[in-house]
Structures are given as structure tokens and as C-alpha cells.
Amino acid sequence: MPRTRRRFHSPSPHVSHRSDCSSGYFEEKKRRRLHSGQQQQIFSNLRNGASDGFSQKNNSSACSTSIDSYPRRKSNVNSNSRKRRRSTSSQSLSPTFHSGSPRRHDFDGERPQDDDEGHLVYERGSVLHNRYVILGTLGEGTFGKVVRAKDLVKGQVIAVKIIKNVKKYREAAQLEISVLRKLEKLDPRGSQRCVQMLDSFDYYGHMCIVFEMLGSSVFDFLKDNNYIPYPLEQVRQISYELISAVKFLHANKLIHTDLKPENILFYDSSFDSIYSSKKRRDIRTVKNAEIRLIDFGSATFEHEHHSKIVSTRHYRAPEVILELGWSYPCDVWSIGCIIFELATGLTLFQTRETREHLAMMEQILGKFPSRMGTKTQVKYFEKGRLVWNDRSSSGRYVKEHCKPLRKYINRKSDRLEDWEDMFDLIEKMLTYEPSKRITLSEALRHVFLYSLKNVAHKKSSREFHSFRDQVS
């Protein structure tokens, strides 16, 4: 189900627009002359197949590809039971190039073409905004494409999110840019684990957002590792940094509304591999579990209009499903689902149908409070109780393959106490009543995370600040 978008606001005057009838035209001409020698050298290298001299962090980007554009992961059922129904398609995040010799294509003197879906038509060597040389495609989604590019001004390899030339996606991108600008003012050093925008511009109707190059998402890493769960200490670190980042948003009256593993990227996803004779395959362990939170296209300020439905289904809070209104606690619910997934490699609520989703919640977490069942106007409840047939095929599936939350604890682990602490936190995050759900401030003081409370992760902040000084 596509994300519900917030109301349109006029684009910020800081978003640059190309116009041959303004002073910006002469600025571009001046910049073109200034860097023409550097451009020609790069184009020459591209034609000759030379390397651009920069390496990307594990061929990923600082941008989400879409809510519905990922191949999905394991559910919390046996592999021989029914297949995961969360089906989507995705392109690899490895750079891909068009065949043939690359050439300069900066669209000067002509308007760039769009394909039938509104994507910008480009090729390797195309130049955006007279500054960013496209080196390859990183990913594609419903919103547009993400490309790997080289900044001609600063010589850095970056990621550019190119939005479709479609009104609803353009408006959503303008909202995301507005949010990213506000976050930049609130956290100029990037210490709060939220991705920071380096540049943005309107390119012939395509909103473009420039980010630093980051590693793969925690979901992609999990998928590429055959859904082998993360080590408990890495789950702890990712959880702590994610909660801290979202707490920073909440402190500034912003609700993310689309938290999921795809929207959490490693700062650097380089890894070590160790062969497992038991599993008969290499097992990857990320070297540094430091993360960045991305995709603020659906983020909503508390004072703004709240759409009826938000979040990707599998991480959607019950108050959203029951249309009882939502606020900050809906992000907390999503985080609880994410922590479970990182620790087990399973999706907690694997479903594509609302009634079944609610039935899974009751099977795993217990019956809904009568207040919520009575207050909701959705068709799935009658006299405060969920209408559900246990004898139907879906009913039997839920009963057989969904079990009470704490039965997912790894009892064979030599760190059983830590597992129990983690599931205590997850359980508190998955409390039905939003008013009774644990807050993020309380979560950071929970015994599972408290050991990280005084651990300073300052290296990433210094690194980003240094990077931004170079590219800004």
C-alpha cells in the first residue's frame, strides 16, 4: 500500500531552479567555464574505461528506494509453510551502466527526456545541474531513482535521489527537503544519526536531493546474509542509535511515520566473513554497526494534518489500523518490530491483509483492550471483539505459526538474561494502548540499553562534519 502523503506546501525559496532567463544562467555559465577542464578530463577517463578514483561504501546510497520496492525477507514461520506474501520487485543496489561508450550529456540546449513513468532518461556521463556526473544507477523505486555521481566542484562521490517528474512525488520530495533543512539547522554536525542533505535542486521538474554515500540498509545486509540474525551486541547498538535518532525527532515535534529496516542504513557496511561448517556457508558480520536514519518523505510535524493511514503495513501500529488517531507512540511500535527482526531474522507480523494482521497481534500479544475494540469504527470488530474465524485457512495458519512473543526468545543462548531483557523492551514497545506504551526516553533507560547510555559514539559525527566541510 503506498504511503499517504501530507498536504502540499510551496517549495522553499532555497531550492534552486534552472532558468535561462535569470542571473542563475550567468552563474552557471561562469561555473561551466571554471570547471570545463576538469569535466573534459573526467569524460575522457570515462570513455577510456578508467576508474573515477573513488570507492563507494558497499554500493548503497543514503536514500530509500521505496515502501514497496524491496524483495522481502523471511517471516516468522517455517520455510516449508506458505511463502512470504510480501512480494515486491527491486533492482540491485550495485552500480549499473548503460551499454556503449559513455559520453557527456548535460542537456545544454535541449530539454531532457522523461520515460513513460516519469523517470529522467540519462546515461553514464550525463551531468545534472552542471555539477554532478552520473556514474551509475544505485536503485529504483516508485518515487524515482538513486544514482551514484561525482561532484565536479569538490571531487567527491555522492548519491543523488532523482524524483519522478510526477506531481505527487515532486510535492512529497519538496516536503522531504523542507524537513531535511530543518534537521540540518537543528543538528548541523550530524551527531543525531539522521542522514543530512548536501544539496537539492529542481532539474526540469525532477526534484533532486544529494546525500553522502552510505552503506547498505540493515535489511539488505540481513537479506544478503541469508537472514542470519545480527549478533546481540550489534542489535543493542543499532537499537540504541535508532531510538536516540527518533527521540531527537520527537523532541523537535516530528514523527517519522515510516520506520522500517529498509530506512536504516549502515554508515559503512564493510564486513568480515567467517565460514560456518554448521550452516555450510560464509556468515557476514558488519565491522561497524553505526547507522543513519533516512527517508523523511512521510515525516509529519505534530501540528500538521495527520493522514489516516501511515507506516508500512508490517510496522504499522494498532491505533493506526483501527483509525483511532496517532502520534509519537506509532514510531515506538515500529521500533519494537524492527528490534525483533534484527534479533531473530524474522518479520513479526508477516501479512498483507488487515484482519489477519490484527489476528496475528492477538495471537502474539494477547487480546485487544475492550476500549480500543469498542471505540474503533473499522469493520473488523463487533462489541469490542475482533471478528475472526480460527477454523478458516487463514485462522489455522495464524494459530499454527504465530506464538506468544516470549516464545521467540532463544533459550539456548548463553546470554539468556540479555535476551529476556531485550524481549522485555520489545514487549513494552508493543503495548496496544499508545498512552501506556513505553516512551523513547524511558526506553533509553531500560536495562537492555542502559549499558550504552554513557558510551560516546563521536567518531561518526567528526567524520561527517569533515566530509561536509569538503563538499559544501
Side-chain angles (χ1 to χ4, degrees), residues 11-29:
S12 168
H14 297 293
V15 178
S16 58
H17 301 266
R18 279 185 68 166
S19 172
D20 289 348
C21 301
S22 68
S23 60
Y25 170 75
F26 298 102
E27 291 294 325
E28 290 183 0
K29 296 291 285 184

Side-chain angles (χ1 to χ4, degrees), residues 70-79 81-87 219 227 262 314-315 341 345-352 397:
Y70 287 86
R72 305 309 312 168
R73 69 214 77 172
K74 290 182 179 179
S75 67
N76 59 354
V77 302
N78 296 328
S79 59
S81 62
R82 81 179 170 182
K83 295 181 180 179
R84 180 181 179 93
R85 294 173 293 165
R86 190 174 167 188
S87 59
F219 165 67
Y227 301 100
E262 293 89 334
H314 307 79
Y315 310 95
E341 193 162 329
L346 307 172
T347 302
L348 183 57
F349 301 112
Q350 174 47 53
T351 179
R352 296 186 67 184
Y397 170 80

Side-chain angles (χ1 to χ4, degrees), residues 295-468:
D295 195 354
F296 296 90
S298 300
T300 303
F301 286 100
E302 179 62 19
H303 67 274
E304 292 180 320
H305 168 72
H306 285 31
S307 302
K308 184 179 292 186
I309 299 295
V310 292
S311 305
T312 301
R313 176 183 296 279
H314 307 79
Y315 310 95
R316 187 176 295 157
E319 65 268 24
V320 178
I321 299 173
L322 300 182
E323 299 179 8
L324 298 176
W326 53 268
S327 187
Y328 305 110
C330 77
D331 279 349
V332 179
W333 177 280
S334 300
I335 294 174
C337 296
I338 292 169
I339 297 175
F340 177 92
E341 193 162 329
L342 298 177
T344 65
L346 307 172
T347 302
L348 183 57
F349 301 112
Q350 174 47 53
T351 179
R352 296 186 67 184
E353 198 275 320
T354 300
R355 192 188 301 271
E356 186 180 74
H357 192 177
L358 295 170
M360 285 182 171
M361 288 183 180
E362 288 204 334
Q363 186 71 16
I364 295 171
L365 303 171
K367 296 293 183 181
F368 275 93
S370 58
R371 186 201 71 83
M372 296 181 73
T374 303
K375 189 175 180 181
T376 183
Q377 297 299 311
V378 300
K379 60 184 178 181
Y380 308 110
F381 283 78
E382 185 176 301
K383 296 181 179 180
R385 294 295 180 185
L386 178 66
V387 179
W388 178 250
N389 183 4
D390 287 336
R391 297 181 180 179
S392 66
S393 59
S394 293
R396 290 193 300 271
Y397 170 80
V398 170
K399 192 172 183 178
E400 291 171 5
H401 299 101
C402 295
K403 53 189 178 183
L405 182 64
R406 286 185 176 263
K407 288 193 175 182
Y408 289 98
I409 293 176
N410 182 5
R411 298 290 176 184
K412 297 179 181 180
S413 172
D414 57 359
R415 304 185 63 179
L416 181 58
E417 185 177 353
D418 287 335
W419 272 86
E420 291 179 337
D421 289 341
M422 177 175 62
F423 269 77
D424 181 72
L425 175 60
I426 294 172
E427 190 173 56
K428 287 178 167 61
M429 289 183 156
L430 299 181
T431 300
Y432 285 129
E433 288 277 8
S435 60
K436 298 179 181 178
R437 201 170 297 156
I438 191 173
T439 67
L440 295 183
S441 295
E442 292 169 342
L444 290 176
R445 297 193 296 269
H446 189 275
V447 63
F448 179 64
L449 301 175
Y450 191 78
S451 62
L452 296 179
K453 182 176 177 62
N454 297 318
V455 177
H457 298 288
K458 296 182 179 179
K459 180 180 179 182
S460 62
S461 176
R462 292 196 298 269
E463 287 177 347
F464 178 81
H465 192 58
S466 175
F467 179 89
R468 187 174 184 83

Side-chain angles (χ1 to χ4, degrees), residues 27-145:
E27 291 294 325
E28 290 183 0
K29 296 291 285 184
K30 180 179 178 180
R31 183 174 11 170
R32 192 180 304 123
R33 288 195 301 270
L34 179 63
H35 300 289
S36 60
Q38 183 183 8
Q39 291 179 13
Q40 291 304 322
Q41 181 62 46
I42 291 173
F43 298 133
S44 176
N45 290 342
L46 288 172
R47 291 190 187 96
N48 295 330
S51 169
D52 54 44
F54 293 86
S55 62
Q56 156 192 356
K57 293 180 183 175
N58 289 277
N59 298 336
S60 187
S61 70
C63 305
S64 164
T65 55
S66 81
I67 281 184
D68 298 316
S69 64
Y70 287 86
R72 305 309 312 168
R73 69 214 77 172
K74 290 182 179 179
S75 67
N76 59 354
V77 302
N78 296 328
S79 59
N80 293 327
S81 62
R82 81 179 170 182
K83 295 181 180 179
R84 180 181 179 93
R85 294 173 293 165
R86 190 174 167 188
S87 59
T88 48
S89 60
S90 171
Q91 294 187 1
S92 169
L93 292 184
S94 299
T96 56
F97 305 104
H98 296 275
S99 60
S101 299
R103 64 182 179 86
R104 178 179 179 181
H105 188 194
D106 59 5
F107 307 112
D108 282 344
E110 62 178 282
R111 183 179 182 85
Q113 298 297 310
D114 297 342
D115 65 17
D116 294 339
E117 295 181 355
H119 290 289
L120 177 68
V121 176
Y122 60 84
E123 60 184 22
R124 183 184 180 188
S126 296
V127 181
L128 300 174
H129 206 48
N130 202 45
R131 176 171 178 174
Y132 304 106
V133 181
I134 295 176
L135 302 177
T137 301
L138 291 170
E140 178 178 343
T142 57
F143 66 88
K145 296 183 179 181

